[in-house]
Amino acid sequence: PEKDLPHVIVDTGDGESLLVDTLWDIRYTRTMLDAMAPLLRDAPLATLVNTHADGDHFWGNQLIGDHVDTVTSDAARAEMAHHKPRSMIAFSRLGKYLKQMPFGRTRSVGHWFETLCLPYAFDEVKHTPARQSFSGTVSKDVGGRQVQLIEVGPAHTRGDLMVYVPDARTLFAGDILFIGSTPVMWAGPVENWLAALDLILELDVETIVPGHGPITGKEGVRMVKTYWEFTRGAARKCFDKGVPAHKAAHQIVSGAEFARFEFANWDSPERMMTNVHLLYRQFKGKNGHMSVPAKVNVMRKQALLAHKLPAARPAMMRTDDATF
């Protein structure tokens, strides 16, 4: 119940349906499809759209039949080739190993790494990227209902897209929106993310489905925008003062100014660590891509920050034996 599960939903037309995203493993995706079976009986699945290349949004694709069109952006499809379940299997094993070490900080990192991978069965996943891709904006007909696929990345990842259903005034935002949970940036630049949020605010839309968290309206979009504007400004101040990124993240998330905002109570505030590192790269004129060792090192620092925030949610990610 405390896990930050992605939001997956089906949109039905006359006699056929479009599914936005699958889940992080086969068991969860099968449960989802079973729950949707009454809808899909009268409107069989015709199209699956993966909003980006994170595994929690496409690793369940193997359960979608070959008769279904599977679609994502060109950039996301290229990224999918490198996002394979074995990476999370290795991450989980590393966590188990580190938990056995006789050092409090190392054990805490191990706990965070291992818990991040629970309770998913990544060894059952067959890597199945979307078969079709596009760039820009395309329209699809789903049983007579027009649906727009709008590419807005790179932002959260390199190939983010959103799914807009104009006649229903509904938008599926993918991980451009985290509601009640701290967003994390793996690609950037942050200006692209802010532009995507502005686009949502400009659309004639009433119901907005985030990649993570409950369904929201434009007030939720504005709060995510506030988070990124605050984080960019706070990180820039630290950068200009020469504060190292890991110390800046700790200072920002522990500061009185951060505590005044609603997002201070969101799940996983330790994601500030990754966000500040990506912003620092941007301030230095680099792109958001990090090597695998660099990414693991940032995640290690993020785990340590998590243990400096014992009152934050979800509680299962934290123990009390770490010092930063």
Side-chain angles (χ1 to χ4, degrees):
E2 293 183 292
K3 294 297 287 183
D4 182 21
L5 292 173
H7 214 310
V8 183
I9 199 159
V10 65
D11 179 53
T12 60
D14 184 9
E16 62 181 19
S17 299
L18 179 148
L19 174 66
V20 181
D21 287 333
T22 56
L23 290 166
W24 219 352
D25 73 359
I26 303 311
R27 299 176 189 183
Y28 275 85
T29 302
R30 184 175 288 115
T31 299
M32 175 194 71
L33 292 173
D34 288 346
M36 291 176 176
L39 288 173
L40 300 180
R41 192 174 298 119
D42 295 327
L45 194 60
T47 306
L48 164 67
V49 178
N50 296 127
T51 57
H52 60 290
D54 281 352
D56 57 336
H57 293 259
F58 88 95
W59 281 355
N61 283 10
Q62 73 189 72
L63 294 183
I64 306 301
D66 290 341
H67 63 286
V68 176
D69 292 336
T70 56
V71 184
T72 192
S73 69
D74 292 341
R77 191 168 186 271
E79 250 192 325
M80 284 177 176
H82 305 287
H83 287 203
K84 297 183 179 181
R86 66 190 183 200
S87 62
M88 294 305 295
I89 294 171
F91 200 73
S92 178
R93 288 174 179 168
L94 177 59
K96 288 182 172 69
Y97 173 76
L98 294 176
K99 280 182 67 176
Q100 306 306 312
M101 296 292 100
F103 314 107
R105 285 164 55 96
T106 305
R107 289 198 309 271
S108 296
V109 171
H111 169 85
W112 194 90
F113 280 17
E114 184 182 32
T115 306
L116 184 67
C117 300
L118 296 175
Y120 307 108
F122 298 117
D123 57 334
E124 298 177 359
V125 176
K126 179 182 177 183
H127 186 242
T128 311
R131 293 186 296 272
Q132 302 174 28
S133 63
F134 71 97
S135 62
T137 298
V138 299
S139 294
K140 295 191 72 68
D141 183 287
V142 182
R145 166 168 275 174
Q146 292 301 308
V147 177
Q148 295 179 14
L149 311 184
I150 307 170
E151 184 180 18
V152 292
H156 168 65
T157 64
R158 294 184 184 183
D160 305 295
L161 69 90
M162 304 188 298
V163 180
Y164 178 42
V165 189
D167 74 319
R169 301 181 68 203
T170 297
L171 179 81
F172 305 97
D175 279 5
I176 292 299
L177 275 189
F178 287 61
I179 299 298
S181 177
T182 305
V184 61
M185 183 166 62
W186 294 114
V190 69
E191 286 75 20
N192 283 3
W193 200 318
L194 290 167
L197 296 171
D198 283 337
L199 173 60
I200 298 173
L201 294 173
E202 292 169 3
L203 290 173
D204 180 17
V205 61
E206 180 176 305
T207 302
I208 304 171
V209 184
H212 296 263
I215 290 172
T216 190
K218 290 189 176 180
E219 70 283 353
V221 180
R222 293 187 186 97
M223 184 52 63
V224 176
K225 183 178 179 182
T226 299
Y227 172 86
W228 282 119
E229 289 174 337
F230 167 83
T231 299
R232 177 179 60 179
R236 185 76 219 196
K237 290 178 183 177
C238 290
F239 178 82
D240 290 343
K241 292 177 181 177
V243 179
H246 72 282
K247 291 186 178 181
H250 187 200
Q251 289 177 14
I252 293 168
V253 82
S254 302
E257 187 176 2
F258 181 83
R260 286 197 290 267
F261 289 96
E262 178 185 331
F263 50 66
N265 299 312
W266 289 353
D267 285 4
S268 305
E270 66 269 18
R271 290 174 183 159
M272 181 67 73
M273 183 63 70
T274 296
N275 294 337
V276 169
H277 274 80
L278 265 290
L279 284 166
Y280 268 45
R281 290 181 64 84
Q282 181 177 331
F283 298 154
K284 294 175 183 176
K286 299 178 180 179
N287 64 35
H289 178 69
M290 291 188 288
S291 67
V292 171
K295 186 177 292 188
V296 172
N297 190 39
V298 170
M299 297 295 278
R300 177 188 66 83
K301 295 174 183 178
Q302 186 164 303
L304 290 173
L305 179 56
H307 290 90
K308 290 292 287 183
L309 306 169
R313 300 189 306 263
M316 66 189 295
M317 299 299 294
R318 291 151 228 282
T319 60
D320 59 3
D321 60 352
T323 57
F324 192 83

